[in-house]
Amino acid sequence: MMTRRECLQALAESRTDEVVLGAMTASREWASLSHHGLDMPVMGAMGQAPDIGLGIALAQPERRVVVLNGDGSMLMNLGSLVTIVNAAPKNLTLMIVQNGVYEITGGQPLPGIGRFSFAALARAAGFLQVHEYEELSAFQADIPALLKEEGPVFANLVVQGGPMPQTPRADMVEVTTRIRSILAGQSARPVAQ
Amino acid sequence: MARAQAVHDELRKCGIEYLVWLPDSETRSMYDVLMADKDLNLVQVCREDEAIGVHLGLYLGGREAAVLIQNTGMMNAVDALRGSALSLQIPLLLLVGYRGYHGMVEGAATVDSAAVYTEPLLKGLGIPYYIMDSDDDVPRISEAYRQSRADSGPVAVLVGKEYD
């Protein structure tokens, strides 16, 4: 079994100019591994990361957007799977970091864990690119494709949580201002139809 | 009542390129008008809190967007309004169907609780709002748009009666 840290470390090594949104615990782990202008922690309202990622992907069709969503966060907003499929952004990759618990609140198990499948839910919602990983080597091998293949792409990462990194709380007004400003430079480029 | 076409035209005058929305009873006849505009991008969501998140993403990506939902849906979306708009100081034009507005009359046998809590909720959140009840009120959309940009926060236009 792979750890959350190993997975995100592998992703951080392959990441170039993608926007990366991280929810809850995944966001804290990501912040301890990556310091990039287009990193956006989503710690405000739980469940919002897939929708925020969708909005950025629609606004910036040339840039890949990666959402690192928690499993608890995903359960809170399953409808967003349908919303994303309906909007059909080719440049969105939605990853679920499935550790089976609400880690940020002390490790309480998720309802129904082990009895439902995020990959099956994504397929049923209409995602055509659905992947599931339990081994680091398989995930590592696929990362370049996950960041390139025509989306929307869904990938479920079954991980062990492990200790939660303590990272300083970001000033979110500053983060959103920075991301908007970086993306404004990009949006001057012609938009692919 | 405000005509759907007039509302649409006012939104376009503000430069709105994306409308994030979920159909509701006060905006029923908007649908045909919105669909007829091939240059307006519609993003339909499954639940109203999603609309606030999609709007935030569009804003970060440099697009001009607005949200069209019902007051009941706005109640669903309160945590998203807090976390993905208010606390981040995001300019947000909200068009909100005011279900039950015209039923709130003295002596009415029943009043729609969706209407009762709408304005107190907006006041509680500190979100300024206007009421649009006829074509004469349509310019409120542009006012709300400008105010949301000037104040970097959400401003709502409550739609008093179904569009025609």
Side-chain angles (χ1 to χ4, degrees), chain A residues 2 7 94-98 113-114 116-123 129-140 142 146 149 153-159:
Chain A
M2 54 194 185
C7 284
L94 172 57
M95 296 189 188
I96 310 303
V97 185
Q98 183 191 318
I113 195 72
F116 69 85
S117 152
F118 281 113
L121 287 166
R123 276 191 207 97
Q129 307 296 340
V130 177
H131 309 268
E132 185 155 48
Y133 302 96
E134 296 188 14
E135 298 301 329
L136 184 63
S137 55
F139 174 59
Q140 255 174 328
D142 277 7
L146 292 171
E149 69 182 341
V153 178
F154 184 93
N156 190 44
L157 317 180
V158 182
V159 303

PDB file of all heavy atoms in Angstrom, chain A residues 2 7 94-98 113-114 116-123 129-140 142 146 149 153-159:
ATOM      1  N   MET A   2       0.409   2.277  -0.672  1.00  0.00           N
ATOM      2  CA  MET A   2       1.216   3.502  -0.763  1.00  0.00           C
ATOM      3  C   MET A   2       0.742   4.523   0.275  1.00  0.00           C
ATOM      4  O   MET A   2      -0.407   4.486   0.713  1.00  0.00           O
ATOM      5  CB  MET A   2       1.103   4.089  -2.169  1.00  0.00           C
ATOM      6  CG  MET A   2      -0.310   4.320  -2.642  1.00  0.00           C
ATOM      7  SD  MET A   2      -0.333   4.633  -4.425  1.00  0.00           S
ATOM      8  CE  MET A   2      -2.067   5.018  -4.680  1.00  0.00           C
ATOM      9  N   CYS A   7       2.653   9.392  -2.742  1.00  0.00           N
ATOM     10  CA  CYS A   7       1.870   9.729  -3.950  1.00  0.00           C
ATOM     11  C   CYS A   7       2.061  11.190  -4.326  1.00  0.00           C
ATOM     12  O   CYS A   7       2.316  11.524  -5.483  1.00  0.00           O
ATOM     13  CB  CYS A   7       0.379   9.528  -3.694  1.00  0.00           C
ATOM     14  SG  CYS A   7      -0.116   7.850  -3.710  1.00  0.00           S
ATOM     15  N   LEU A  94      -9.226  15.188 -11.766  1.00  0.00           N
ATOM     16  CA  LEU A  94      -9.731  15.145 -10.387  1.00  0.00           C
ATOM     17  C   LEU A  94      -9.189  13.891  -9.709  1.00  0.00           C
ATOM     18  O   LEU A  94      -9.482  12.775 -10.146  1.00  0.00           O
ATOM     19  CB  LEU A  94     -11.265  15.143 -10.403  1.00  0.00           C
ATOM     20  CG  LEU A  94     -12.000  14.903  -9.078  1.00  0.00           C
ATOM     21  CD1 LEU A  94     -11.596  15.913  -8.012  1.00  0.00           C
ATOM     22  CD2 LEU A  94     -13.516  14.934  -9.293  1.00  0.00           C
ATOM     23  N   MET A  95      -8.373  14.087  -8.686  1.00  0.00           N
ATOM     24  CA  MET A  95      -7.821  12.947  -7.945  1.00  0.00           C
ATOM     25  C   MET A  95      -8.425  12.905  -6.544  1.00  0.00           C
ATOM     26  O   MET A  95      -8.530  13.935  -5.885  1.00  0.00           O
ATOM     27  CB  MET A  95      -6.294  13.072  -7.819  1.00  0.00           C
ATOM     28  CG  MET A  95      -5.566  13.012  -9.144  1.00  0.00           C
ATOM     29  SD  MET A  95      -3.780  12.896  -8.875  1.00  0.00           S
ATOM     30  CE  MET A  95      -3.200  13.091 -10.564  1.00  0.00           C
ATOM     31  N   ILE A  96      -8.787  11.718  -6.123  1.00  0.00           N
ATOM     32  CA  ILE A  96      -9.273  11.540  -4.756  1.00  0.00           C
ATOM     33  C   ILE A  96      -8.177  10.859  -3.954  1.00  0.00           C
ATOM     34  O   ILE A  96      -7.646   9.829  -4.375  1.00  0.00           O
ATOM     35  CB  ILE A  96     -10.542  10.644  -4.714  1.00  0.00           C
ATOM     36  CG1 ILE A  96     -11.590  11.109  -5.716  1.00  0.00           C
ATOM     37  CG2 ILE A  96     -11.122  10.598  -3.293  1.00  0.00           C
ATOM     38  CD1 ILE A  96     -12.046  12.528  -5.563  1.00  0.00           C
ATOM     39  N   VAL A  97      -7.820  11.454  -2.838  1.00  0.00           N
ATOM     40  CA  VAL A  97      -6.830  10.855  -1.953  1.00  0.00           C
ATOM     41  C   VAL A  97      -7.621  10.127  -0.874  1.00  0.00           C
ATOM     42  O   VAL A  97      -8.091  10.729   0.091  1.00  0.00           O
ATOM     43  CB  VAL A  97      -5.903  11.939  -1.366  1.00  0.00           C
ATOM     44  CG1 VAL A  97      -4.804  11.290  -0.535  1.00  0.00           C
ATOM     45  CG2 VAL A  97      -5.287  12.781  -2.487  1.00  0.00           C
ATOM     46  N   GLN A  98      -7.808   8.828  -1.093  1.00  0.00           N
ATOM     47  CA  GLN A  98      -8.723   8.059  -0.243  1.00  0.00           C
ATOM     48  C   GLN A  98      -7.976   7.384   0.898  1.00  0.00           C
ATOM     49  O   GLN A  98      -7.292   6.389   0.709  1.00  0.00           O
ATOM     50  CB  GLN A  98      -9.453   6.999  -1.093  1.00  0.00           C
ATOM     51  CG  GLN A  98     -10.465   6.213  -0.259  1.00  0.00           C
ATOM     52  CD  GLN A  98     -11.006   5.002  -0.991  1.00  0.00           C
ATOM     53  OE1 GLN A  98     -11.302   5.063  -2.178  1.00  0.00           O
ATOM     54  NE2 GLN A  98     -11.144   3.890  -0.290  1.00  0.00           N
ATOM     55  N   ILE A 113     -17.414   3.397   4.158  1.00  0.00           N
ATOM     56  CA  ILE A 113     -16.115   3.134   3.542  1.00  0.00           C
ATOM     57  C   ILE A 113     -15.906   1.618   3.416  1.00  0.00           C
ATOM     58  O   ILE A 113     -16.232   0.856   4.313  1.00  0.00           O
ATOM     59  CB  ILE A 113     -14.959   3.830   4.323  1.00  0.00           C
ATOM     60  CG1 ILE A 113     -13.690   3.870   3.477  1.00  0.00           C
ATOM     61  CG2 ILE A 113     -14.703   3.209   5.675  1.00  0.00           C
ATOM     62  CD1 ILE A 113     -13.747   4.840   2.322  1.00  0.00           C
ATOM     63  N   GLY A 114     -15.429   1.197   2.246  1.00  0.00           N
ATOM     64  CA  GLY A 114     -15.276  -0.239   1.969  1.00  0.00           C
ATOM     65  C   GLY A 114     -16.488  -0.830   1.279  1.00  0.00           C
ATOM     66  O   GLY A 114     -16.433  -1.922   0.738  1.00  0.00           O
ATOM     67  N   PHE A 116     -18.523   1.257  -0.862  1.00  0.00           N
ATOM     68  CA  PHE A 116     -18.776   1.958  -2.126  1.00  0.00           C
ATOM     69  C   PHE A 116     -17.445   2.169  -2.816  1.00  0.00           C
ATOM     70  O   PHE A 116     -16.374   1.995  -2.207  1.00  0.00           O
ATOM     71  CB  PHE A 116     -19.475   3.311  -1.882  1.00  0.00           C
ATOM     72  CG  PHE A 116     -18.611   4.329  -1.206  1.00  0.00           C
ATOM     73  CD1 PHE A 116     -17.745   5.132  -1.935  1.00  0.00           C
ATOM     74  CD2 PHE A 116     -18.638   4.487   0.177  1.00  0.00           C
ATOM     75  CE1 PHE A 116     -16.932   6.062  -1.312  1.00  0.00           C
ATOM     76  CE2 PHE A 116     -17.824   5.412   0.808  1.00  0.00           C
ATOM     77  CZ  PHE A 116     -16.975   6.203   0.062  1.00  0.00           C
ATOM     78  N   SER A 117     -17.503   2.543  -4.076  1.00  0.00           N
ATOM     79  CA  SER A 117     -16.282   2.742  -4.852  1.00  0.00           C
ATOM     80  C   SER A 117     -16.334   4.100  -5.535  1.00  0.00           C
ATOM     81  O   SER A 117     -17.281   4.387  -6.279  1.00  0.00           O
ATOM     82  CB  SER A 117     -16.177   1.633  -5.899  1.00  0.00           C
ATOM     83  OG  SER A 117     -15.449   2.082  -7.023  1.00  0.00           O
ATOM     84  N   PHE A 118     -15.328   4.939  -5.277  1.00  0.00           N
ATOM     85  CA  PHE A 118     -15.281   6.239  -5.938  1.00  0.00           C
ATOM     86  C   PHE A 118     -15.136   6.073  -7.456  1.00  0.00           C
ATOM     87  O   PHE A 118     -15.721   6.820  -8.226  1.00  0.00           O
ATOM     88  CB  PHE A 118     -14.125   7.090  -5.395  1.00  0.00           C
ATOM     89  CG  PHE A 118     -14.428   7.743  -4.082  1.00  0.00           C
ATOM     90  CD1 PHE A 118     -13.754   7.379  -2.931  1.00  0.00           C
ATOM     91  CD2 PHE A 118     -15.402   8.736  -3.997  1.00  0.00           C
ATOM     92  CE1 PHE A 118     -14.033   7.982  -1.711  1.00  0.00           C
ATOM     93  CE2 PHE A 118     -15.686   9.351  -2.790  1.00  0.00           C
ATOM     94  CZ  PHE A 118     -15.006   8.972  -1.644  1.00  0.00           C
ATOM     95  N   ALA A 119     -14.339   5.068  -7.851  1.00  0.00           N
ATOM     96  CA  ALA A 119     -14.147   4.857  -9.294  1.00  0.00           C
ATOM     97  C   ALA A 119     -15.481   4.506  -9.949  1.00  0.00           C
ATOM     98  O   ALA A 119     -15.806   5.013 -11.034  1.00  0.00           O
ATOM     99  CB  ALA A 119     -13.115   3.761  -9.514  1.00  0.00           C
ATOM    100  N   ALA A 120     -16.269   3.647  -9.282  1.00  0.00           N
ATOM    101  CA  ALA A 120     -17.571   3.271  -9.847  1.00  0.00           C
ATOM    102  C   ALA A 120     -18.513   4.468  -9.880  1.00  0.00           C
ATOM    103  O   ALA A 120     -19.275   4.653 -10.834  1.00  0.00           O
ATOM    104  CB  ALA A 120     -18.173   2.129  -9.024  1.00  0.00           C
ATOM    105  N   LEU A 121     -18.466   5.285  -8.824  1.00  0.00           N
ATOM    106  CA  LEU A 121     -19.309   6.492  -8.806  1.00  0.00           C
ATOM    107  C   LEU A 121     -18.933   7.417  -9.971  1.00  0.00           C
ATOM    108  O   LEU A 121     -19.804   7.988 -10.636  1.00  0.00           O
ATOM    109  CB  LEU A 121     -19.152   7.236  -7.478  1.00  0.00           C
ATOM    110  CG  LEU A 121     -19.819   6.589  -6.250  1.00  0.00           C
ATOM    111  CD1 LEU A 121     -19.299   7.221  -4.967  1.00  0.00           C
ATOM    112  CD2 LEU A 121     -21.333   6.718  -6.325  1.00  0.00           C
ATOM    113  N   ALA A 122     -17.627   7.573 -10.208  1.00  0.00           N
ATOM    114  CA  ALA A 122     -17.171   8.456 -11.290  1.00  0.00           C
ATOM    115  C   ALA A 122     -17.617   7.917 -12.638  1.00  0.00           C
ATOM    116  O   ALA A 122     -18.100   8.671 -13.495  1.00  0.00           O
ATOM    117  CB  ALA A 122     -15.650   8.600 -11.238  1.00  0.00           C
ATOM    118  N   ARG A 123     -17.476   6.603 -12.836  1.00  0.00           N
ATOM    119  CA  ARG A 123     -17.927   6.002 -14.109  1.00  0.00           C
ATOM    120  C   ARG A 123     -19.432   6.203 -14.272  1.00  0.00           C
ATOM    121  O   ARG A 123     -19.898   6.561 -15.350  1.00  0.00           O
ATOM    122  CB  ARG A 123     -17.622   4.502 -14.130  1.00  0.00           C
ATOM    123  CG  ARG A 123     -16.225   4.206 -14.573  1.00  0.00           C
ATOM    124  CD  ARG A 123     -15.999   2.719 -14.840  1.00  0.00           C
ATOM    125  NE  ARG A 123     -14.588   2.433 -14.615  1.00  0.00           N
ATOM    126  CZ  ARG A 123     -14.084   1.931 -13.492  1.00  0.00           C
ATOM    127  NH1 ARG A 123     -14.884   1.589 -12.494  1.00  0.00           N
ATOM    128  NH2 ARG A 123     -12.792   1.741 -13.375  1.00  0.00           N
ATOM    129  N   GLN A 129     -12.554   8.726 -18.465  1.00  0.00           N
ATOM    130  CA  GLN A 129     -11.197   8.362 -18.027  1.00  0.00           C
ATOM    131  C   GLN A 129     -11.222   8.170 -16.518  1.00  0.00           C
ATOM    132  O   GLN A 129     -11.230   9.134 -15.762  1.00  0.00           O
ATOM    133  CB  GLN A 129     -10.195   9.475 -18.384  1.00  0.00           C
ATOM    134  CG  GLN A 129     -10.198   9.914 -19.825  1.00  0.00           C
ATOM    135  CD  GLN A 129      -9.760   8.795 -20.760  1.00  0.00           C
ATOM    136  OE1 GLN A 129      -9.117   7.839 -20.348  1.00  0.00           O
ATOM    137  NE2 GLN A 129     -10.123   8.908 -22.028  1.00  0.00           N
ATOM    138  N   VAL A 130     -11.264   6.917 -16.096  1.00  0.00           N
ATOM    139  CA  VAL A 130     -11.327   6.627 -14.659  1.00  0.00           C
ATOM    140  C   VAL A 130     -10.202   5.658 -14.297  1.00  0.00           C
ATOM    141  O   VAL A 130     -10.041   4.620 -14.943  1.00  0.00           O
ATOM    142  CB  VAL A 130     -12.693   6.014 -14.273  1.00  0.00           C
ATOM    143  CG1 VAL A 130     -12.719   5.659 -12.791  1.00  0.00           C
ATOM    144  CG2 VAL A 130     -13.826   6.979 -14.607  1.00  0.00           C
ATOM    145  N   HIS A 131      -9.428   6.034 -13.300  1.00  0.00           N
ATOM    146  CA  HIS A 131      -8.291   5.204 -12.888  1.00  0.00           C
ATOM    147  C   HIS A 131      -8.355   4.986 -11.380  1.00  0.00           C
ATOM    148  O   HIS A 131      -8.861   5.833 -10.651  1.00  0.00           O
ATOM    149  CB  HIS A 131      -6.970   5.904 -13.212  1.00  0.00           C
ATOM    150  CG  HIS A 131      -6.880   6.393 -14.626  1.00  0.00           C
ATOM    151  ND1 HIS A 131      -6.343   5.646 -15.635  1.00  0.00           N
ATOM    152  CD2 HIS A 131      -7.281   7.562 -15.201  1.00  0.00           C
ATOM    153  CE1 HIS A 131      -6.395   6.323 -16.774  1.00  0.00           C
ATOM    154  NE2 HIS A 131      -6.969   7.496 -16.540  1.00  0.00           N
ATOM    155  N   GLU A 132      -7.769   3.858 -10.958  1.00  0.00           N
ATOM    156  CA  GLU A 132      -7.669   3.621  -9.518  1.00  0.00           C
ATOM    157  C   GLU A 132      -6.304   3.020  -9.217  1.00  0.00           C
ATOM    158  O   GLU A 132      -5.842   2.149  -9.956  1.00  0.00           O
ATOM    159  CB  GLU A 132      -8.776   2.689  -9.041  1.00  0.00           C
ATOM    160  CG  GLU A 132      -8.779   2.518  -7.529  1.00  0.00           C
ATOM    161  CD  GLU A 132     -10.137   2.139  -6.975  1.00  0.00           C
ATOM    162  OE1 GLU A 132     -10.762   1.220  -7.525  1.00  0.00           O
ATOM    163  OE2 GLU A 132     -10.564   2.764  -6.006  1.00  0.00           O
ATOM    164  N   TYR A 133      -5.675   3.517  -8.170  1.00  0.00           N
ATOM    165  CA  TYR A 133      -4.321   3.067  -7.848  1.00  0.00           C
ATOM    166  C   TYR A 133      -4.216   2.670  -6.386  1.00  0.00           C
ATOM    167  O   TYR A 133      -4.711   3.376  -5.501  1.00  0.00           O
ATOM    168  CB  TYR A 133      -3.302   4.185  -8.124  1.00  0.00           C
ATOM    169  CG  TYR A 133      -3.333   4.653  -9.560  1.00  0.00           C
ATOM    170  CD1 TYR A 133      -4.071   5.777  -9.922  1.00  0.00           C
ATOM    171  CD2 TYR A 133      -2.653   3.950 -10.546  1.00  0.00           C
ATOM    172  CE1 TYR A 133      -4.128   6.200 -11.234  1.00  0.00           C
ATOM    173  CE2 TYR A 133      -2.703   4.367 -11.878  1.00  0.00           C
ATOM    174  CZ  TYR A 133      -3.438   5.492 -12.217  1.00  0.00           C
ATOM    175  OH  TYR A 133      -3.498   5.892 -13.520  1.00  0.00           O
ATOM    176  N   GLU A 134      -3.534   1.524  -6.168  1.00  0.00           N
ATOM    177  CA  GLU A 134      -3.216   1.109  -4.801  1.00  0.00           C
ATOM    178  C   GLU A 134      -1.715   0.932  -4.629  1.00  0.00           C
ATOM    179  O   GLU A 134      -1.233   0.790  -3.512  1.00  0.00           O
ATOM    180  CB  GLU A 134      -3.943  -0.195  -4.459  1.00  0.00           C
ATOM    181  CG  GLU A 134      -5.462  -0.024  -4.465  1.00  0.00           C
ATOM    182  CD  GLU A 134      -6.208  -1.243  -3.955  1.00  0.00           C
ATOM    183  OE1 GLU A 134      -5.574  -2.126  -3.348  1.00  0.00           O
ATOM    184  OE2 GLU A 134      -7.427  -1.302  -4.178  1.00  0.00           O
ATOM    185  N   GLU A 135      -0.994   0.904  -5.772  1.00  0.00           N
ATOM    186  CA  GLU A 135       0.455   0.718  -5.742  1.00  0.00           C
ATOM    187  C   GLU A 135       1.149   1.953  -6.298  1.00  0.00           C
ATOM    188  O   GLU A 135       0.772   2.450  -7.366  1.00  0.00           O
ATOM    189  CB  GLU A 135       0.860  -0.508  -6.577  1.00  0.00           C
ATOM    190  CG  GLU A 135       0.292  -1.824  -6.086  1.00  0.00           C
ATOM    191  CD  GLU A 135       0.708  -2.156  -4.651  1.00  0.00           C
ATOM    192  OE1 GLU A 135       1.818  -1.747  -4.236  1.00  0.00           O
ATOM    193  OE2 GLU A 135      -0.099  -2.783  -3.941  1.00  0.00           O
ATOM    194  N   LEU A 136       2.176   2.375  -5.603  1.00  0.00           N
ATOM    195  CA  LEU A 136       2.886   3.588  -5.995  1.00  0.00           C
ATOM    196  C   LEU A 136       3.474   3.487  -7.399  1.00  0.00           C
ATOM    197  O   LEU A 136       3.389   4.437  -8.190  1.00  0.00           O
ATOM    198  CB  LEU A 136       3.995   3.894  -4.976  1.00  0.00           C
ATOM    199  CG  LEU A 136       4.751   5.201  -5.218  1.00  0.00           C
ATOM    200  CD1 LEU A 136       3.830   6.409  -5.096  1.00  0.00           C
ATOM    201  CD2 LEU A 136       5.928   5.337  -4.253  1.00  0.00           C
ATOM    202  N   SER A 137       4.060   2.322  -7.733  1.00  0.00           N
ATOM    203  CA  SER A 137       4.737   2.194  -9.030  1.00  0.00           C
ATOM    204  C   SER A 137       3.740   2.402 -10.174  1.00  0.00           C
ATOM    205  O   SER A 137       4.062   3.052 -11.173  1.00  0.00           O
ATOM    206  CB  SER A 137       5.421   0.829  -9.143  1.00  0.00           C
ATOM    207  OG  SER A 137       4.476  -0.200  -8.912  1.00  0.00           O
ATOM    208  N   ALA A 138       2.541   1.862 -10.022  1.00  0.00           N
ATOM    209  CA  ALA A 138       1.525   2.005 -11.074  1.00  0.00           C
ATOM    210  C   ALA A 138       1.096   3.471 -11.197  1.00  0.00           C
ATOM    211  O   ALA A 138       0.964   4.008 -12.309  1.00  0.00           O
ATOM    212  CB  ALA A 138       0.319   1.130 -10.753  1.00  0.00           C
ATOM    213  N   PHE A 139       0.900   4.133 -10.068  1.00  0.00           N
ATOM    214  CA  PHE A 139       0.506   5.543 -10.094  1.00  0.00           C
ATOM    215  C   PHE A 139       1.621   6.389 -10.712  1.00  0.00           C
ATOM    216  O   PHE A 139       1.368   7.199 -11.621  1.00  0.00           O
ATOM    217  CB  PHE A 139       0.186   6.025  -8.671  1.00  0.00           C
ATOM    218  CG  PHE A 139      -0.085   7.502  -8.575  1.00  0.00           C
ATOM    219  CD1 PHE A 139      -1.114   8.085  -9.300  1.00  0.00           C
ATOM    220  CD2 PHE A 139       0.701   8.321  -7.757  1.00  0.00           C
ATOM    221  CE1 PHE A 139      -1.359   9.459  -9.217  1.00  0.00           C
ATOM    222  CE2 PHE A 139       0.451   9.686  -7.675  1.00  0.00           C
ATOM    223  CZ  PHE A 139      -0.574  10.255  -8.408  1.00  0.00           C
ATOM    224  N   GLN A 140       2.855   6.149 -10.256  1.00  0.00           N
ATOM    225  CA  GLN A 140       4.005   6.904 -10.767  1.00  0.00           C
ATOM    226  C   GLN A 140       4.113   6.780 -12.285  1.00  0.00           C
ATOM    227  O   GLN A 140       4.341   7.767 -12.982  1.00  0.00           O
ATOM    228  CB  GLN A 140       5.298   6.366 -10.145  1.00  0.00           C
ATOM    229  CG  GLN A 140       5.841   7.277  -9.085  1.00  0.00           C
ATOM    230  CD  GLN A 140       7.027   6.672  -8.367  1.00  0.00           C
ATOM    231  OE1 GLN A 140       7.115   5.456  -8.203  1.00  0.00           O
ATOM    232  NE2 GLN A 140       7.928   7.527  -7.921  1.00  0.00           N
ATOM    233  N   ASP A 142       1.854   6.294 -14.403  1.00  0.00           N
ATOM    234  CA  ASP A 142       0.731   6.929 -15.119  1.00  0.00           C
ATOM    235  C   ASP A 142       0.684   8.446 -14.962  1.00  0.00           C
ATOM    236  O   ASP A 142      -0.091   9.103 -15.662  1.00  0.00           O
ATOM    237  CB  ASP A 142      -0.602   6.356 -14.614  1.00  0.00           C
ATOM    238  CG  ASP A 142      -0.944   5.038 -15.295  1.00  0.00           C
ATOM    239  OD1 ASP A 142      -0.086   4.523 -16.048  1.00  0.00           O
ATOM    240  OD2 ASP A 142      -2.060   4.528 -15.066  1.00  0.00           O
ATOM    241  N   LEU A 146      -1.855  11.116 -16.732  1.00  0.00           N
ATOM    242  CA  LEU A 146      -2.936  11.730 -15.951  1.00  0.00           C
ATOM    243  C   LEU A 146      -2.927  13.253 -16.103  1.00  0.00           C
ATOM    244  O   LEU A 146      -3.960  13.904 -15.984  1.00  0.00           O
ATOM    245  CB  LEU A 146      -2.803  11.372 -14.467  1.00  0.00           C
ATOM    246  CG  LEU A 146      -3.039   9.905 -14.104  1.00  0.00           C
ATOM    247  CD1 LEU A 146      -2.665   9.642 -12.655  1.00  0.00           C
ATOM    248  CD2 LEU A 146      -4.488   9.517 -14.368  1.00  0.00           C
ATOM    249  N   GLU A 149      -3.806  13.452 -20.582  1.00  0.00           N
ATOM    250  CA  GLU A 149      -4.876  12.853 -21.384  1.00  0.00           C
ATOM    251  C   GLU A 149      -6.132  13.726 -21.357  1.00  0.00           C
ATOM    252  O   GLU A 149      -6.354  14.505 -20.426  1.00  0.00           O
ATOM    253  CB  GLU A 149      -5.179  11.425 -20.961  1.00  0.00           C
ATOM    254  CG  GLU A 149      -5.827  11.270 -19.620  1.00  0.00           C
ATOM    255  CD  GLU A 149      -6.038   9.787 -19.263  1.00  0.00           C
ATOM    256  OE1 GLU A 149      -6.016   8.911 -20.140  1.00  0.00           O
ATOM    257  OE2 GLU A 149      -6.249   9.524 -18.080  1.00  0.00           O
ATOM    258  N   VAL A 153     -10.578  13.823 -16.310  1.00  0.00           N
ATOM    259  CA  VAL A 153      -9.920  12.602 -15.863  1.00  0.00           C
ATOM    260  C   VAL A 153     -10.206  12.420 -14.373  1.00  0.00           C
ATOM    261  O   VAL A 153     -10.177  13.389 -13.612  1.00  0.00           O
ATOM    262  CB  VAL A 153      -8.388  12.714 -16.066  1.00  0.00           C
ATOM    263  CG1 VAL A 153      -7.682  11.457 -15.547  1.00  0.00           C
ATOM    264  CG2 VAL A 153      -8.055  12.959 -17.523  1.00  0.00           C
ATOM    265  N   PHE A 154     -10.482  11.193 -13.993  1.00  0.00           N
ATOM    266  CA  PHE A 154     -10.726  10.886 -12.584  1.00  0.00           C
ATOM    267  C   PHE A 154      -9.724   9.829 -12.134  1.00  0.00           C
ATOM    268  O   PHE A 154      -9.522   8.833 -12.828  1.00  0.00           O
ATOM    269  CB  PHE A 154     -12.148  10.356 -12.401  1.00  0.00           C
ATOM    270  CG  PHE A 154     -12.540  10.102 -10.965  1.00  0.00           C
ATOM    271  CD1 PHE A 154     -13.190  11.082 -10.228  1.00  0.00           C
ATOM    272  CD2 PHE A 154     -12.258   8.886 -10.357  1.00  0.00           C
ATOM    273  CE1 PHE A 154     -13.543  10.854  -8.900  1.00  0.00           C
ATOM    274  CE2 PHE A 154     -12.604   8.654  -9.024  1.00  0.00           C
ATOM    275  CZ  PHE A 154     -13.262   9.643  -8.303  1.00  0.00           C
ATOM    276  N   ALA A 155      -9.097  10.033 -10.993  1.00  0.00           N
ATOM    277  CA  ALA A 155      -8.178   9.022 -10.463  1.00  0.00           C
ATOM    278  C   ALA A 155      -8.374   8.888  -8.966  1.00  0.00           C
ATOM    279  O   ALA A 155      -8.357   9.881  -8.240  1.00  0.00           O
ATOM    280  CB  ALA A 155      -6.727   9.411 -10.763  1.00  0.00           C
ATOM    281  N   ASN A 156      -8.597   7.667  -8.518  1.00  0.00           N
ATOM    282  CA  ASN A 156      -8.735   7.423  -7.083  1.00  0.00           C
ATOM    283  C   ASN A 156      -7.447   6.820  -6.550  1.00  0.00           C
ATOM    284  O   ASN A 156      -6.972   5.805  -7.073  1.00  0.00           O
ATOM    285  CB  ASN A 156      -9.916   6.482  -6.818  1.00  0.00           C
ATOM    286  CG  ASN A 156     -10.244   6.405  -5.344  1.00  0.00           C
ATOM    287  OD1 ASN A 156     -10.281   7.440  -4.668  1.00  0.00           O
ATOM    288  ND2 ASN A 156     -10.453   5.209  -4.822  1.00  0.00           N
ATOM    289  N   LEU A 157      -6.866   7.459  -5.554  1.00  0.00           N
ATOM    290  CA  LEU A 157      -5.629   6.970  -4.950  1.00  0.00           C
ATOM    291  C   LEU A 157      -5.960   6.400  -3.576  1.00  0.00           C
ATOM    292  O   LEU A 157      -6.369   7.141  -2.679  1.00  0.00           O
ATOM    293  CB  LEU A 157      -4.612   8.108  -4.797  1.00  0.00           C
ATOM    294  CG  LEU A 157      -4.453   9.088  -5.969  1.00  0.00           C
ATOM    295  CD1 LEU A 157      -3.396  10.141  -5.630  1.00  0.00           C
ATOM    296  CD2 LEU A 157      -4.067   8.345  -7.232  1.00  0.00           C
ATOM    297  N   VAL A 158      -5.820   5.090  -3.443  1.00  0.00           N
ATOM    298  CA  VAL A 158      -6.088   4.455  -2.149  1.00  0.00           C
ATOM    299  C   VAL A 158      -4.787   4.492  -1.349  1.00  0.00           C
ATOM    300  O   VAL A 158      -3.805   3.868  -1.733  1.00  0.00           O
ATOM    301  CB  VAL A 158      -6.568   2.999  -2.343  1.00  0.00           C
ATOM    302  CG1 VAL A 158      -6.898   2.370  -0.989  1.00  0.00           C
ATOM    303  CG2 VAL A 158      -7.795   2.964  -3.256  1.00  0.00           C
ATOM    304  N   VAL A 159      -4.801   5.270  -0.274  1.00  0.00           N
ATOM    305  CA  VAL A 159      -3.543   5.529   0.448  1.00  0.00           C
ATOM    306  C   VAL A 159      -3.671   5.262   1.948  1.00  0.00           C
ATOM    307  O   VAL A 159      -4.779   5.181   2.486  1.00  0.00           O
ATOM    308  CB  VAL A 159      -3.101   7.010   0.269  1.00  0.00           C
ATOM    309  CG1 VAL A 159      -2.946   7.373  -1.191  1.00  0.00           C
ATOM    310  CG2 VAL A 159      -4.084   7.958   0.966  1.00  0.00           C
TER     311      VAL A 159
END
